Amino acid sequence: MGRATVADIKGRDFSELDKEAKENTENTNKGSNTNKNRNTTTSDSRGRKNRRRQKKTMVVHPVQRLFDACKDVFAHAGTGFVPPPDKIEQLSALLDDIKPVDVGLSPRMSFFSPQAARRAPTITYLHIHECEKFSMGIFCLPPSGVLPLHNHPGMTVFSKLLFGTMHIKSYDWVVGAPSNASAVAEPSQTAQCSEVRLAKVKVDSNLTAPCKTSILYPADGGNMHCFTAVTACAVLDVLGPPYSDAEGRHCTYYLAYPFTKFSDDTGDEQVSIPDEEKDNYAWLQERDKPEDLVVKGALYTGPVIREN
């Protein structure tokens, strides 16, 4: 979601990195000149030992470790790619350990504050990295903020709730279930295709940080989900591969209807679900992007990622 926002934010990210690189270079040069003035007799061998010692003690921050792992795990990612189990465990463990401070976040930041009454609170997206193989970014939701029901076609997605409480409702398609092309919802909300498809609820619960990383896959794990902020919260997302219109990975939004709304129209002989399980199923219908969904970009201020 929010690819236009990501594109807009990239330019500012790179400008900020260039500025920081220049400042670091200037500070290094100043320190070097000062040391030369103080002691011009320091040997080259001692300097090399000091540099080796500094390299040994240098700490790699958690976001850099995550980025490096993503480069490895998603090196050959394409539509439908699912990492092997050991790589999934590796990324999950890295994400589980990431805290808000590791990405420069605090619940006191302005985009987590309650907003004045309007159709829907504004959501903020912090772009960390995006390439053809994977993307990393953070969705910041104020209280009652909603990321509407949407899909992740051919993608494996890792979501780490950094802080707060969020309600997640997710679905997977029921393979082999009939569709209903005659069902029509509100014309102002649906896309041209009015067909409804049967899906099964995968998750319908609150998550409160700290908690384990959630993972969804191209065909299961709750590939279509909706996030609702119970309190202010932030979610770090890793998508592999990311959305790409050119490669057919479009972000599609859906309306969800109770199973009983259209079940009679499909024929009971094709869809037979026990009464006690009907609440676990729903009919999903493609819709236009919600008009009241506002996702704005903001500058990621966490640790800088070294790409080489």
Side-chain angles (χ1 to χ4, degrees):
M1 297 178 60
R3 287 184 58 80
T5 300
V6 171
D8 291 340
I9 214 71
K10 276 187 178 178
R12 281 181 286 170
D13 268 346
F14 292 145
S15 297
E16 189 69 19
L17 293 182
D18 289 342
K19 179 181 177 182
E20 182 170 343
K22 290 178 182 178
E23 291 175 351
N24 288 341
T25 300
E26 291 172 359
N27 290 336
T28 300
N29 290 338
K30 290 178 180 178
S32 177
N33 291 335
T34 301
N35 290 335
K36 286 179 182 179
N37 293 333
R38 288 179 178 174
N39 186 1
T40 58
T41 62
T42 301
S43 67
D44 291 341
S45 60
R46 181 178 299 176
R48 286 194 294 270
K49 288 180 180 178
N50 288 338
R51 284 193 292 271
R52 285 196 296 269
R53 189 179 297 114
Q54 289 173 358
K55 288 181 180 179
K56 290 180 180 179
T57 59
M58 186 173 62
V59 177
V60 179
H61 62 76
V63 178
Q64 183 68 52
R65 289 199 295 270
L66 177 63
F67 171 79
D68 292 341
C70 286
K71 283 182 63 178
D72 173 50
V73 172
F74 295 112
H76 305 290
T79 301
F81 174 78
V82 177
D86 61 323
K87 298 298 185 181
I88 290 176
E89 184 177 347
Q90 176 190 8
L91 282 184
S92 296
L94 289 171
L95 283 162
D96 286 345
D97 288 340
I98 291 181
K99 301 175 178 59
V101 67
D102 295 328
V103 290
L105 281 185
S106 166
R108 295 186 296 274
M109 289 179 165
S110 60
F111 35 73
F112 295 115
S113 301
Q115 299 177 11
R118 49 162 293 159
R119 288 183 296 177
T122 297
I123 296 168
T124 302
Y125 180 77
L126 308 179
H127 168 85
I128 299 177
H129 175 81
E130 183 170 359
C131 61
E132 292 182 356
K133 300 300 184 180
F134 68 94
S135 67
M136 298 166 54
I138 304 170
F139 285 100
C140 305
L141 288 77
S144 302
V146 177
L147 281 173
L149 184 61
H150 62 283
N151 69 346
H152 307 81
M155 301 155 66
T156 299
V157 180
F158 296 76
S159 297
K160 166 63 176 177
L161 183 63
L162 296 170
F163 67 83
T165 298
M166 169 181 289
H167 183 84
I168 299 179
K169 190 163 189 178
S170 64
Y171 304 83
D172 287 317
W173 296 120
V174 176
V175 179
S179 59
N180 187 338
S182 63
V184 178
E186 294 296 327
S188 61
Q189 295 183 326
T190 57
Q192 284 186 336
C193 177
S194 60
E195 181 178 272
V196 297
R197 290 181 61 188
L198 186 63
K200 185 174 183 180
V201 176
K202 180 68 176 181
V203 176
D204 186 8
S205 63
N206 287 348
L207 290 182
T208 299
C211 57
K212 292 292 185 180
T213 299
S214 300
I215 311 170
L216 61 84
Y217 303 96
D220 56 29
N223 186 274
M224 297 155 288
H225 65 201
C226 172
F227 289 167
T228 303
V230 178
T231 68
C233 55
V235 183
L236 171 57
D237 269 357
V238 173
L239 283 63
Y243 288 107
S244 171
D245 290 342
E247 297 183 13
R249 296 189 298 273
H250 312 282
C251 182
T252 302
Y253 296 90
Y254 297 92
L255 295 167
Y257 298 98
F259 173 78
T260 55
K261 183 174 180 64
F262 299 121
S263 57
D264 292 339
D265 298 331
T266 60
D268 289 338
E269 70 281 358
Q270 298 184 65
V271 181
S272 179
I273 296 176
D275 288 342
E276 63 272 17
E277 296 184 19
K278 289 183 178 179
D279 288 344
N280 296 326
Y281 291 83
W283 297 98
L284 304 189
Q285 185 172 44
E286 288 188 22
R287 63 174 298 180
D288 296 324
K289 179 181 177 181
E291 293 182 359
D292 59 354
L293 173 61
V294 179
V295 181
K296 68 176 184 179
L299 184 66
Y300 166 70
T301 58
V304 175
I305 288 176
R306 309 293 179 183
E307 297 192 20
N308 296 325

